[in-house]
């Protein structure tokens, strides 16, 4: 009825744009994830669904950049940032 969806996800509107997300922690560690999504806000919410995000302790900020991490320029500015009081689904441990 619905037809086959391409396996690579290229035709999915929710995965149309490429973003990379940097997570900074209280321990001065940084974690980077590539997240295909609709927009910068959606990129953050897509990341919150991943188990890896939920296991990072002491998150203080999340920065969303255009393009995947390997394509990012060293002096790129984030498209969107989320500070500690704006974060969702963080570990309280």
């Amino acid at each position: 009825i619905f037809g086959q969806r391409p396996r690579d996800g290229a035709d999915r509107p929710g995965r149309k744009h490429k973003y990379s997300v940097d997570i900074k922690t209280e321990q001065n560690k940084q974690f980077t994830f590539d997240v295909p999504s609709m927009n910068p806000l959606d990129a953050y919410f897509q990341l919150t669904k991943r188990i890896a995000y939920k296991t990072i302790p002491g998150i203080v900020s999340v920065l969303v950049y255009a393009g995947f991490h390997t394509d990012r320029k060293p002096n790129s500015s984030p498209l969107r940032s989320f500070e500690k009081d704006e974060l969702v689904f963080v570990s309280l441990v």
Side-chain angles (χ1 to χ4, degrees):
I1 293 176
F2 298 105
Q4 289 290 76
R5 187 171 32 188
R7 290 191 183 268
D8 65 0
D11 199 30
R12 294 177 64 190
R15 308 271 188 225
K16 187 175 182 177
H17 303 285
K18 299 175 182 178
Y19 297 97
S20 57
V21 181
D22 285 353
I23 296 175
K24 297 185 180 186
T25 69
E26 293 171 349
Q27 297 82 21
N28 292 323
K29 292 182 181 179
Q30 180 172 308
F31 300 88
T32 301
F33 297 89
D34 288 333
V35 185
S37 60
M38 293 186 296
N39 57 53
L41 178 62
D42 184 50
Y44 174 53
F45 286 127
Q46 291 299 325
L47 179 66
T48 65
K49 296 176 185 179
R50 297 183 183 182
I51 292 173
Y53 169 82
K54 294 177 183 180
T55 61
I56 299 172
I59 298 174
V60 294
S61 67
V62 175
L63 306 170
V64 181
Y65 295 88
F68 284 160
H69 178 69
T70 55
D71 302 326
R72 195 189 315 165
K73 304 279 188 246
N75 57 351
S76 295
S77 296
L79 298 173
R80 183 84 194 254
S81 64
F82 301 89
E83 300 304 319
K84 195 169 187 169
D85 60 338
E86 301 172 293
L87 300 176
V88 294
F89 305 119
V90 292
S91 173
L92 299 175
V93 178

